[in-house]
Amino acid sequence: MHGRPRKPLKPEDSAASIAKANKLRTLQSQFYHIHHNKIYDKEALDMSAKLLEMNPEIYTAWNYRKLGVESNLQSLSDPDSIKSLLDEELRVVESALRQNYKSYGAWHHRKWVLSKGYSSIEREFRLLDQFLKADSRNFNGWNYLRFVAALQHVSEEEELKFTTDKINANFSNYSAWHNRSVLLSHLLNRKAQGFVPREKVLSEEYELVHQALFTDPDDQSGWFYHLWLLDQTVNQDTTLLISSWPVHAVEGVNSSTVTVTSMLEKNENLIWKPLSTNKSERSTEMINWKDENFVTSDALLQDFTPTLHRFNQLTINKDHESTNSKWHVETLENEIALFRELLSEVNCKIAKLTLARLLMSLDVIMSSRAICKQRTHTKEVLELFNDLIKMDPVHSRYYKDQHSLLLMEQVTSDEESLAKHFWYYKELTSSLSRTNFCLRINKLSLSRIGFLERLLWIQMLDLSHNELQSIEGLESLQLLIYLNLSHNRISCFTALEPLRLIKSLRSLDISYNEIGMHSIDTTS
Amino acid sequence: GFSGHVGHDPHVLYTISAVQILALFDKLDVLDIDKVSSYIAGLQNEDGSFSGDIWGEIDTRFSYCAICCLAILRRLDRINVEKAVNYIVSCKNLDGGFGCTPGGESHAGQIFCCVGALAITGSLHHIDKDLLGWWLCERQVKSGGLNGRPEKLPDVCYSWWVLSSLILIDRVHWIDKEKLVKFILDSQDKENGGISDRPDDAVDVFHTYFGVAGLSLLEYPGLKAIDPAYALPVDVVNRIFFGR
């Protein structure tokens, strides 16, 4: 079904195919007879073996054999005959696997036999070695390996060594890298002997993956592993959980009424920082979003300070450096240097993407440690994403989204940058005097919004004149009253789903979008 | 339960297919819905996982089959949904994808099953959409086709597994739709009909289905809309859940 070239069948092949089909049909009708009549003698079992060797996908035949084994086991008591009965099953599985080494039915039958506890596990490892040599990506084989290792109580350290061997034999082995990441996670998390300190282990893994990456930069196998290592490197010492809820709809939320369960080790020191809120004012129905209604001035920004104060409450300021922060920074700087070098030799898309991620990670660490508030590499990363859009047009929308996220990060990074986007809305034509501070993030070609946890106190938001297709995450702005999404690329009603959760919303402008452009609304 | 063919043993894979076929023809009433539901509910294990049949093979594919089938029959309350979801989440990998069992390598087919099941049970918040979205969009190779895992050949059936998953997590704009459409159309056998796994390979009904379904998800003109979670036309899904 897969990978067969399209060509008209030659007469001899056609005849052979018909003959095979006839043979299968005959065997199959014989099989129905023995299965439905529960016949499990040698002749019947042999017939089923022949059927399975021809087509291991006949799952009912595997079921039949299990029934046969159970029936015949009833009359056996000595371990040797039991073992030889089960060995016969293993023989059938093996010949079926040689027909199709991906057959779920065959592998499961083998697991079922092994579970009986009479078979040699050593032999299983040898068999797996053969199959994984033939196709190192055979995930059925890898699953079976995990199963057998568990039966044998093979230590995770030994399993890890197996992945090392496989990787050294051939770097292009995503399956081996995947298994390695699973095993290492476990070993690191339980601080197993030989896997402490964590930093030493991760450094060695970086060395290993570098070999793969620099041997063939276009092979993706090592890249996802590198991303996992990066994730392990950029860990935050404290977790920030930011939550918002509708102001008047939900009352009484505080540290005594809400329990937070966390998967992380440290659960003490849960600090609650409530955000002070204004009572929401009565609103007018329409907002005139024209530019002339928005003014800004230094004087006005003074009024803005209490608002900014709320913003500052949301940022984490680290007063102390954690013990291992030096390693984190050094490792990242090392990786960055290496990838710059790689990129000077070869123009590889995924190297560029990784460099962008590394630079962003370094910035995150530096700013969270209050070493420097502004991210220093933003400009460079934005350029990298622009390069990637040109280099890899197939994935251009992904890079555009990352670019937009970084722009949003930049805008919301501190009071200074935020102040540039804060405008004072004064409706000049209305008799009612309405004043409000509005955050205006326009004409940045944003395809996506983010970092909204920094803007929870916003009541008036203008995102018009961008390229937004999605407003995912907007629902966290539970104080939002006025929203302008005009002149964007919203193409369906379901993209506006987050707005249903903003109970405070009174005024919405979605003009000049693309709603209704597609006949079907294909988003969930 | 239903089997793959007359005379074969029941299995959850064929049970969902039977129910989907009956749904297509609006003949769900020929079923003893309680009996089918009991069969499926009986396959759920203590940890929330599902066996394929009485012989106990466990795989997230079966979780999807069970959840999708019971949802169509409107009997999801017959299983422990919370445990089922927890089991699926336990199969989530560090690259954001899902495997067949905990620790199993991410594979687009398994990802579809897990994401679909989570979507049907309203549990998509367990997914890191950006991480998984990137893993999925990187399935698109230069030729425009999609593969099922890194460093594998593109295959038309992944137009379904990968594409529907991307749609369910709102990241389908991260692939180049036009190039994928071209890949699927290039895999047609224009003389004898049908679609194959990749251009110039032999056609079969399996890939023809996935090619057409993929094109529908890509809004190819003239095709009915298909639901990415239930793998049924949207009008059939509407009929089941909204009676119209």
Side-chain angles (χ1 to χ4, degrees), chain A residues 243-260:
Chain A
S243 168
S244 60
W245 51 87
V247 173
H248 300 298
V250 179
E251 311 242 319
V253 180
N254 55 50
S255 53
S256 57
T257 55
V258 176
T259 335
V260 177

Side-chain angles (χ1 to χ4, degrees), chain A residues 159-173:
Chain A
E159 281 194 78
L160 191 72
K161 186 171 176 308
F162 183 75
T163 67
T164 315
D165 293 340
K166 280 274 162 263
I167 288 166
N168 283 329
N170 178 11
F171 287 130
S172 175
N173 192 338

Side-chain angles (χ1 to χ4, degrees), chain A residues 308-498:
Chain A
L308 274 177
H309 173 64
R310 284 185 245 159
F311 166 70
N312 284 328
Q313 282 180 299
L314 283 169
T315 54
I316 331 162
N317 285 313
K318 297 291 292 277
D319 303 315
H320 61 278
E321 273 199 9
S322 77
T323 42
N324 298 311
S325 64
K326 198 159 159 266
W327 176 81
H328 292 118
V329 173
E330 271 174 14
T331 306
L332 286 178
E333 286 177 340
N334 219 23
E335 291 300 299
I336 288 169
L338 267 165
F339 281 95
R340 285 199 204 281
E341 203 192 301
L342 177 64
L343 279 171
S344 66
E345 291 162 29
V346 67
N347 200 20
C348 163
K349 130 195 162 183
I350 204 150
K352 260 203 174 83
L353 180 59
T354 305
L355 180 60
R357 287 174 172 159
L358 284 165
L359 291 168
M360 289 193 288
S361 303
L362 185 61
D363 279 351
V364 167
I365 287 195
M366 302 289 255
S367 66
S368 77
R369 309 268 152 104
I371 298 169
C372 52
K373 264 207 137 173
Q374 266 286 342
R375 295 193 184 194
T376 48
H377 297 107
T378 301
K379 189 161 172 286
E380 190 185 344
V381 178
L382 287 171
E383 272 170 30
L384 281 169
F385 281 128
N386 281 330
D387 285 346
L388 281 163
I389 289 172
K390 292 192 208 99
M391 263 183 93
D392 181 15
V394 164
H395 298 109
S396 57
R397 302 286 295 278
Y398 171 75
Y399 303 125
K400 182 103 180 54
D401 274 5
Q402 304 315 303
H403 187 277
S404 297
L405 279 175
L406 194 55
L407 282 177
M408 284 234 50
E409 198 289 318
Q410 202 175 34
V411 165
T412 59
S413 54
D414 59 25
E415 304 149 38
E416 220 183 290
S417 31
L418 210 56
K420 291 184 205 143
H421 293 267
F422 241 81
W423 294 73
Y424 176 71
Y425 174 73
K426 196 166 182 233
E427 190 167 40
L428 307 163
T429 54
S430 164
S431 53
L432 277 170
S433 169
R434 285 276 336 111
T435 58
N436 230 320
F437 282 108
C438 178
L439 186 63
R440 303 180 80 200
I441 310 180
N442 315 119
K443 300 199 175 86
L444 287 176
S445 303
L446 291 175
S447 58
R448 181 145 165 206
I449 49 177
F451 295 94
L452 293 167
E453 65 274 9
R454 297 175 178 177
L455 303 173
L456 295 183
W457 39 280
I458 295 286
Q459 294 182 299
M460 192 169 178
L461 181 60
D462 181 352
L463 289 168
S464 62
H465 295 93
N466 278 297
E467 293 172 27
L468 293 173
Q469 274 203 315
S470 145
I471 48 170
E472 200 178 291
L474 200 62
E475 65 271 11
S476 53
L477 302 186
Q478 286 290 316
L479 296 176
L480 199 59
I481 305 173
Y482 312 104
L483 178 62
N484 185 358
L485 289 172
S486 67
H487 295 94
N488 273 293
R489 301 242 178 110
I490 297 176
S491 61
C492 56
F493 284 114
T494 46
L496 299 174
E497 193 69 29

Side-chain angles (χ1 to χ4, degrees), chain A residues 2-4 6 35-36 59-60 63 108 137 143 174-175 178 220 349 394-395 397 401 448 472 518 522, chain B residues 4 7-9 95 100 103 105 130 135 137-138 149-151 155 167 171 173-174 197 200-202 219:
Chain A
H2 283 104
R4 289 177 309 155
R6 178 186 311 164
H35 183 42
H36 297 142
Y59 67 99
T60 307
N63 296 349
H108 183 250
R137 302 298 304 281
N143 283 343
Y174 189 90
S175 309
H178 161 77
Q220 290 195 346
K349 130 195 162 183
V394 164
H395 298 109
R397 302 286 295 278
D401 274 5
R448 181 145 165 206
E472 200 178 291
H518 303 287
T522 51
Chain B
H8 284 248
D9 295 346
D95 54 16
C100 47
E105 186 185 339
D130 286 337
W135 191 95
C137 82
E138 279 294 328
R149 346 175 231 163
E151 300 304 310
D155 185 330
I167 288 177
R171 298 289 187 272
H173 58 290
W174 283 355
D197 57 346
D200 301 323
D201 269 1
E219 297 168 272

Side-chain angles (χ1 to χ4, degrees), chain B residues 16 20 64 67-73 76 112 116 119-121 160 168 209 226-233 237 240-241:
Chain B
I16 170 82
Q20 283 173 316
Y64 171 75
I67 287 170
C68 181
C69 194
L70 287 175
I72 292 172
L73 298 175
L76 257 184
F112 163 75
I120 293 173
T121 54
W160 173 263
L168 290 171
Y209 162 70
I226 187 167
D227 184 293
Y230 291 99
L232 289 169
V237 174
I240 294 170
F241 292 105

Side-chain angles (χ1 to χ4, degrees), chain A residues 1-7 28 31-32 35-36 57-64 66-67 70 102 104-105 108 111-112 135 137-139 142-143 146 172 174-176 178-179 181-182 185 218-221 223-224 227-228 232 349-350 353 357 392-399 401-402 405 447-448 469-470 472 518-524, chain B residues 2-11 14 53 55-59 61 93-95 100-107 110 124 129-131 134-135 137-142 149-152 155 157 167-171 173-176 179 186-190 196-204 206-207 216-217 219 223 225 228 234:
Chain A
M1 186 168 69
H2 283 104
R4 289 177 309 155
R6 178 186 311 164
K7 52 184 185 203
Q28 194 151 248
F31 168 71
Y32 289 141
H35 183 42
H36 297 142
E57 297 313 305
I58 302 179
Y59 67 99
T60 307
W62 291 115
N63 296 349
Y64 162 82
K66 291 183 189 59
L67 289 165
E70 291 192 334
K102 295 184 186 182
Y104 286 99
H108 183 250
K111 276 188 199 169
W112 185 83
D135 177 9
R137 302 298 304 281
N138 179 355
F139 65 83
W142 282 98
N143 283 343
R146 267 193 296 279
S172 175
Y174 189 90
S175 309
H178 161 77
N179 279 282
S181 67
V182 173
S185 288
D218 286 317
D219 188 299
Q220 290 195 346
S221 313
W223 292 102
F224 292 90
L227 183 62
W228 173 70
Q232 297 296 299
K349 130 195 162 183
I350 204 150
L353 180 59
R357 287 174 172 159
D392 181 15
V394 164
H395 298 109
S396 57
R397 302 286 295 278
Y398 171 75
Y399 303 125
D401 274 5
Q402 304 315 303
L405 279 175
S447 58
R448 181 145 165 206
Q469 274 203 315
S470 145
E472 200 178 291
H518 303 287
S519 53
I520 341 156
D521 195 327
T522 51
T523 51
S524 57
Chain B
F2 285 82
S3 54
H5 184 56
V6 177
H8 284 248
D9 295 346
H11 194 285
Y14 309 104
D53 61 12
W55 296 106
E57 185 189 356
I58 293 175
D59 190 315
R61 288 179 296 148
N93 288 320
L94 299 162
D95 54 16
C100 47
T101 45
E105 186 185 339
S106 299
H107 180 281
Q110 308 293 149
L124 284 172
K129 293 181 180 179
D130 286 337
L131 185 60
W134 183 62
W135 191 95
C137 82
E138 279 294 328
R139 295 308 103 238
Q140 187 162 37
V141 296
K142 282 207 189 77
R149 346 175 231 163
E151 300 304 310
K152 288 236 136 195
D155 185 330
C157 65
I167 288 177
L168 290 171
I169 59 171
D170 299 320
R171 298 289 187 272
H173 58 290
W174 283 355
I175 59 156
D176 184 327
K179 276 194 126 183
D186 284 346
S187 304
Q188 292 174 99
D189 180 341
K190 295 210 175 120
S196 56
D197 57 346
R198 58 190 72 94
D200 301 323
D201 269 1
V203 304
D204 60 64
F206 180 82
H207 289 96
S216 167
L217 289 178
E219 297 168 272
L223 294 178
V234 170

